[in-house]
Amino acid sequence: MTSKFKGFTVPMARMMPVIILADVSGSMTKQGKIAILNRAITAMIQEFKDDNFALADIHVAVITFGKGGAVTHIPLTPASKILWEDMKAEGTTPMAAAFELVNQLIEDRDTIPSRSYYPNLILVSDGVPTDDKGKASKNWKESLNKLLTSDRASKAVRFAMGIGEDIDRDVLNAFVANQSTQIPVFAADETNIQRFFRWVTFSVATRSRSADPSQLQQLVDPNTLDVDDIDF
């Protein structure tokens, strides 16, 4: 007797990329910001590892920008397989180079298949772009515009956190602008970096569990959400 289930296969979960653009310039060493950021990202990855309800296969990548330019700290990898290594802070803030590198990643169909869900982009910075030989630069505008108007990156869900008083609000506001759901820039100091990442983790997890992860859900205001009591 031939089983009626012969040939039946379970479809593979579709990838949902989570890509972090992390400022690792020298100023991130002040007030222990880089150490807190490392802990916050580690906690995010662990929540994704422990999430047994996601309909999407969450992959995480971390692109850092500091000494040496923009660098892939963690290549796009299933969250369950990531072995985290702490980032170190040194150098200036080559943010335009980070925008260019993440655009290359998102548009690479060998790395991110066409059937993948729209990616989540998370920008974290405590300063102004300094791609012009370490000096304050406006080169970020061209690089960011290229990212936001590219075929696939233009559909990404974008979050941004500015840490401290020396941030470039223009670049952070431009990064999150023109989305189907308004996502404000999160203003932070060293005391609430982890709060931001708890909020982002909750938002991504909620989307990954929804009936249609391809659609951006209405986000909860991070300032009203009791993130310490979130049950993932």
Side-chain angles (χ1 to χ4, degrees):
M1 181 177 178
T2 302
S3 170
K4 62 180 179 180
F5 296 109
K6 185 177 181 180
F8 178 80
T9 58
V10 178
M12 294 180 61
R14 292 162 62 182
M15 180 193 297
M16 180 183 287
V18 175
I19 305 171
I20 301 168
L21 294 82
D23 183 345
V24 294
S25 58
S27 58
M28 286 291 291
T29 61
K30 298 178 181 178
Q31 291 82 47
K33 289 179 285 188
I34 191 65
I36 299 170
L37 182 58
N38 278 314
R39 291 197 296 271
I41 295 176
T42 302
M44 166 183 271
I45 293 171
Q46 188 60 52
E47 292 289 358
F48 293 151
K49 286 183 179 182
D50 296 340
D51 189 353
N52 298 317
F53 303 99
L55 299 178
D57 185 13
I58 296 178
H59 285 51
V60 179
V62 179
I63 291 173
T64 59
F65 50 102
K67 183 178 180 180
V71 178
T72 300
H73 182 71
I74 297 290
L76 193 64
T77 305
S80 60
K81 297 182 179 179
I82 292 177
L83 298 176
W84 178 254
E85 293 184 10
D86 280 351
M87 303 175 293
K88 298 180 180 179
E90 189 176 5
T92 56
T93 314
M95 196 181 297
F99 292 149
E100 293 168 6
L101 185 56
V102 74
N103 193 36
Q104 293 173 17
L105 171 60
I106 293 176
E107 297 300 329
D108 183 350
R109 283 166 170 75
D110 291 330
T111 302
I112 302 179
S114 297
R115 66 187 299 271
S116 301
Y117 292 117
Y118 299 149
N120 304 272
L121 301 183
I122 304 160
L123 174 62
V124 178
S125 179
D126 75 336
V128 299
T130 54
D131 291 86
D132 186 12
K133 296 181 180 180
K135 299 179 180 179
S137 171
K138 294 299 182 182
N139 291 342
W140 63 266
K141 291 184 177 180
E142 181 178 349
S143 298
L144 179 58
N145 182 66
K146 182 179 178 181
L147 172 66
L148 299 185
T149 58
S150 63
D151 180 38
R152 307 174 84 195
S154 62
K155 302 178 180 68
V157 182
R158 288 167 270 123
F159 303 85
M161 175 172 64
I163 308 171
E165 297 298 323
D166 297 327
I167 59 174
D168 190 324
R169 297 185 183 277
D170 288 341
V171 65
L172 296 173
N173 286 329
F175 184 80
V176 299
N178 301 319
Q179 302 192 67
S180 57
T181 294
Q182 184 176 0
I183 302 178
V185 171
F186 188 91
D189 56 27
E190 65 276 7
T191 67
N192 55 2
I193 292 173
Q194 290 177 307
R195 180 183 183 88
F196 169 78
F197 273 92
R198 289 283 289 175
W199 169 60
V200 173
T201 304
F202 175 76
S203 301
V204 173
T206 299
R207 181 178 160 221
S208 72
R209 298 172 182 177
S210 68
D212 185 3
S214 63
Q215 298 298 317
L216 175 60
Q217 309 298 308
Q218 185 66 41
L219 300 181
V220 177
D221 186 335
N223 296 306
T224 62
L225 185 66
D226 191 350
V227 294
D228 294 329
D229 292 332
I230 291 176
D231 183 4
F232 290 93

